[in-house]
Amino acid sequence: MGAQEPHELFDTILVLDFGSQYSHLITRRLRELNVYSEMLPCTQKLADLSWKPKGIILSGGPYSVYETDAPHADPAVFEAGVPILGICYGLQEMAWHYDTSNVLAGEKREYGAATIRVDKHDKRVDRLFNGIDEFVVWMSHGDKLGHLPAEFVVIAETNNAPFAGIAHQERDFYGIQFHPEVTHTPRGTKILQNFAVDICHASQNWSMSQFVDKEIERIRTLVGDKGQVIGAVSGGVDSTVAAKLMKEAIGDRFHAVLVDNGLLRLNEAVEVKKTLTEGLGINLTVIDASDLFLSRLKGVTDDPEKKRKIIGNTFIDVFLDKAKQIEAEARNTPRAGNIEWLLQGTLYPDVIESISFKGPSSTIKTHHNVGGLPAKMDLKLIEPLRELFKDEVRELGTQLGIPEDLVWRHPFPGPGIGIRILGEVTPEQVRIAREADHIFISEIKAAGLYRHISQAFAALLPVKAVGVMGDKRVHDQVVALRAVVTTDFMTARMFNFWEHDMDFVERVSTRIVNEVQGVCRVFYDTTSKPPGTIEME
Ligand SMILES: Nc1ncnc2c1ncn2[C@@H]1O[C@H](COP(=O)(O)OP(=O)(O)OP(=O)(O)O)[C@@H](O)[C@H]1O
Ligand SMILES: O=c1[nH]c(=O)c2[nH+]cn([C@@H]3O[C@H](COP(=O)(O)O)[C@@H](O)[C@H]3O)c2[nH]1
Ligand SMILES: NC(=O)CC[C@H](N)C(=O)O
Ligand SMILES: [Mg+2]
């Protein structure tokens, strides 16, 4: 028997994504109800699906169903014999499916809060709003239904939207104009529960601990008794949690590799090695490739993208060399076969980015991890976290006994300090940026602010300023401190230290100028994202 995917093990609600910025939240809310769900693009053909969903949710989306190039669901969705819930665009899509004339541009667009009144019918039709009467919902639409499709009834209305909720009189098809998945619709989770549990009869048996057991079992079946797995591990929470799961599943047949690119934080390689091997029993090799990275970065002063590409490519070279070496060594051990698998710490948002029905977004910067590896290595991928969000990974890490410090670590980019040194990356610049960063982060921890901040670091600007130290003129470098608050790293605001501690920034600034040789000024970066980005390059 092959390894079973989660949708074969749990009752699953299929979310078809029409490109709404809230689509992933639908999946999220369902999981909070312990109902497993998966999101696929709205163009998914049902015949190509190897499993049968318990119900289908059609998400919102930025299009208008009557536009010529608007996306539409596979008509087979409406014949699948399972309940359907259309949300916003999803409601309009459902109505359009029955009668293409009944969705129009509204005279008034409706964004924000609205109060819904529920219309009573019979028990079957009323199940979606069971336990709810009048409540506040979040609206975000410009189109509306001109009339009800035949066979449907109105189940909810607002002053502005006479068809805020509709239901098919015989089949379990429901449509709502508002968004139940956002926190601004306080009873939204109850509506999703009514749909998934009461109408679709999905079992509420998905949980993190179940997930761990099943995932370990799945990995064992996939890899077999002899297969070996290699994985790039950075000491960040994603790759550490993935590595710990692998270790539980196949022990020493998992080979974790940390590449010291010379751009890690102060003492990082040593600390990660200690935590992962001694603390978590993970078989980790650290490769010191700092000279190679720094020599390839020498003289690159102009284009940050060039830096990123050099770092990404060098990373692949070093990793491939190591993989060959591990494989050669493994041939001499009786137990282990070839390395056939590569572990990646991919999370659900990364998956959504690549499958979401949104069209191409412009490239702001090239994120460099191990993205180039699988093609070059001809390895199969294992991505145990691909169904999870970051905070779920943190919860999982805690359940797996990973120390709290590591679980709550701020994200750290693969190219590391290299993209925080503006201008040429030299060993001396790395020293300055690293020492300044260490002081900043240590002070943040000492002040008890680490968990209030999503990500913080010190960067080195490519300019010099004049100062006076010990009565002498100095002409030295400038450090920029950056600390941001964000939930999804797509938008962010500066962290306001002054709200917590009036003297904090000054204290850090004094320490950096006094203790880090070569720095005479410290600035605080107040830019939000957008228009800035979190990293400097
Ligand atoms: N120095 C490194 N050595 C080995 N692998 C690395 C290194 N830096 C990054 N990687 C790989 O790139 C992947 C992506 O990095 P990313 O920073 O997004 O995730 P993470 O480090 O696991 O977690 P976090 O987002 O919390 O930092 C990592 O999961 C890891 O596989
Ligand atoms: O693994 C990574 N490889 C990269 O090349 C990379 N570039 C940015 N980041 C991280 O992504 C988040 C958003 O950063 P930006 O606003 O700078 O794009 C922030 O958390 C950044 O630290 C990276 N992570
Ligand atoms: N949020 C949505 O799904 C919007 C649907 C459609 N674009 C409208 O404006 O009505
Ligand atoms: Mg990282």
Side-chain angles (χ1 to χ4, degrees):
M1 189 189 71
Q4 288 183 295
E5 299 281 342
H7 49 236
E8 290 159 327
L9 297 166
F10 300 100
D11 287 349
T12 304
I13 303 289
L14 171 63
V15 179
L16 290 177
D17 173 33
F18 286 87
S20 159
Q21 49 181 325
Y22 308 127
S23 299
H24 67 282
L25 289 178
I26 305 171
T27 322
R28 201 46 225 277
R29 293 288 165 273
L30 289 169
R31 288 211 211 148
E32 282 165 8
L33 292 164
N34 302 107
V35 173
Y36 186 68
S37 85
E38 278 185 25
M39 190 170 109
L40 290 171
C42 55
T43 46
Q44 174 68 41
K45 291 264 172 283
L46 270 209
D48 295 341
L49 214 59
S50 61
W51 49 281
K52 185 169 162 104
K54 290 291 273 190
I56 298 174
I57 295 182
L58 311 176
S59 84
Y63 310 87
S64 290
V65 284
Y66 46 78
E67 288 167 339
T68 42
D69 52 356
H72 294 293
D74 176 4
V77 161
F78 297 94
E79 303 308 326
V82 298
I84 303 176
L85 173 64
I87 296 174
C88 203
Y89 185 94
L91 163 140
Q92 296 162 4
E93 171 69 4
M94 185 181 278
W96 186 88
H97 171 79
Y98 280 94
D99 175 356
T100 53
S101 73
N102 66 6
V103 182
L104 326 158
E107 306 84 60
K108 281 198 233 144
R109 296 186 300 176
E110 196 178 23
Y111 301 108
T115 302
I116 280 263
R117 289 178 306 278
V118 172
D119 294 348
K120 293 275 181 237
H121 296 276
D122 58 63
K123 271 210 155 92
R124 204 193 60 75
V125 166
D126 288 342
R127 282 179 300 170
L128 190 65
F129 294 136
N130 194 12
I132 314 167
D133 287 319
E134 196 170 290
F135 57 106
V136 173
V137 298
W138 188 257
M139 292 282 195
S140 174
H141 67 114
D143 298 334
K144 62 171 196 183
L145 298 199
H147 58 261
L148 261 188
E151 300 172 50
F152 277 75
V153 288
V154 175
I155 55 171
E157 53 198 297
T158 69
N159 287 344
N160 197 25
F163 305 119
I166 62 171
H168 196 286
Q169 294 185 61
E170 263 121 52
R171 306 178 69 180
D172 287 334
F173 293 175
Y174 297 85
I176 46 185
Q177 187 58 70
F178 59 91
H179 290 271
E181 68 275 27
V182 302
T183 49
H184 293 88
T185 301
R187 302 306 306 278
T189 306
K190 173 73 176 148
I191 294 170
L192 290 173
Q193 178 177 6
N194 287 348
F195 176 70
V197 180
D198 300 345
I199 298 171
C200 301
H201 305 295
S203 327
Q204 290 173 282
N205 60 353
W206 189 88
S207 69
M208 199 54 88
S209 52
Q210 285 248 7
F211 173 84
V212 173
D213 295 345
K214 302 239 150 114
E215 195 53 30
I216 289 177
E217 222 173 276
R218 190 179 79 88
I219 294 169
R220 284 191 185 136
T221 315
L222 271 182
V223 177
D225 295 339
K226 292 202 162 179
Q228 302 212 66
V229 180
I230 191 166
V233 170
S234 64
V237 58
D238 310 339
S239 49
T240 306
V241 170
K244 177 71 177 159
L245 263 179
M246 287 307 299
K247 142 88 188 160
E248 298 293 314
I250 60 165
D252 279 355
R253 285 186 289 133
F254 170 59
H255 305 270
V257 177
L258 169 76
V259 178
D260 182 350
N261 52 13
L263 304 166
L264 302 177
R265 288 172 284 206
L266 193 70
N267 304 329
E268 178 108 331
V270 175
E271 279 166 20
V272 171
K273 168 91 183 165
K274 192 163 170 309
T275 319
L276 267 66
T277 40
E278 290 172 25
L280 301 173
I282 292 164
N283 174 13
L284 174 82
T285 310
V286 177
I287 306 170
D288 181 1
S290 37
D291 290 344
L292 180 64
F293 277 88
L294 291 175
S295 68
R296 289 193 184 173
L297 285 169
K298 201 163 171 226
V300 181
T301 49
D302 45 352
D303 182 8
E305 280 298 288
K306 202 162 155 194
K307 263 189 201 173
R308 284 179 165 271
K309 289 195 176 109
I310 292 173
I311 297 172
N313 291 337
T314 309
F315 187 81
I316 292 173
D317 293 346
V318 172
F319 193 83
L320 288 179
D321 269 0
K322 187 65 196 172
K324 280 195 204 115
Q325 188 194 332
I326 293 177
E327 202 165 32
E329 284 164 10
R331 276 196 205 102
N332 307 324
T333 60
R335 213 161 56 91
N338 285 345
I339 296 183
E340 285 176 42
W341 299 90
L342 174 74
L343 172 78
Q344 285 203 328
T346 316
L347 305 190
Y348 201 58
D350 310 329
V351 179
I352 292 173
E353 279 284 296
S354 55
I355 64 168
S356 185
F357 192 81
K358 275 196 198 129
S361 54
S362 69
T363 304
I364 309 295
K365 49 177 91 165
T366 320
H367 279 219
H368 256 299
N369 313 316
V370 283
L373 283 175
K376 288 208 177 189
M377 293 182 81
D378 200 20
L379 289 179
K380 293 174 274 186
L381 282 183
I382 298 191
E383 300 179 315
L385 311 179
R386 62 179 282 121
E387 322 287 348
L388 306 182
F389 291 90
K390 188 91 167 186
D391 54 337
E392 291 177 316
V393 170
R394 290 194 156 130
E395 189 190 329
L396 174 57
T398 309
Q399 285 200 14
L400 288 168
I402 295 174
E404 200 170 312
D405 295 11
L406 206 159
V407 164
W408 287 98
R409 228 157 170 208
H410 291 175
F412 183 68
I417 291 179
I419 52 173
R420 296 172 176 180
I421 293 170
L422 281 66
E424 189 180 5
V425 179
T426 64
E428 175 61 3
Q429 296 294 75
V430 172
R431 176 194 64 80
I432 296 177
R434 202 178 250 166
E435 289 179 7
D437 183 74
H438 187 67
I439 292 172
F440 186 34
I441 301 296
S442 310
E443 287 289 340
I444 287 175
K445 286 184 176 159
L449 295 174
Y450 192 78
R451 291 268 288 264
H452 294 263
I453 299 170
S454 311
Q455 191 169 5
F457 58 88
L460 193 52
L461 304 183
V463 285
K464 284 188 166 184
V466 170
V468 50
M469 285 181 177
D471 279 343
K472 267 215 302 260
R473 176 189 196 271
V474 289
H475 189 214
D476 270 340
Q477 289 203 242
V478 181
V479 160
L481 304 177
R482 181 136 177 82
V484 294
V485 184
T486 169
T487 44
D488 56 10
F489 295 88
M490 301 298 288
T491 57
R493 294 187 63 192
M494 73 156 197
F495 180 73
N496 190 345
F497 284 102
W498 292 269
E499 258 176 18
H500 297 263
D501 180 344
M502 286 303 285
D503 306 321
F504 182 86
V505 173
E506 197 180 5
R507 194 160 68 239
V508 173
S509 163
T510 308
R511 271 198 66 190
I512 290 176
V513 173
N514 285 344
E515 295 173 36
V516 183
Q517 212 26 267
V519 178
C520 74
R521 299 266 178 135
V522 176
F523 286 51
Y524 187 62
D525 186 346
T526 57
T527 326
S528 47
K529 172 183 178 174
T533 58
I534 294 174
E535 300 294 342
M536 287 291 201
E537 288 188 342

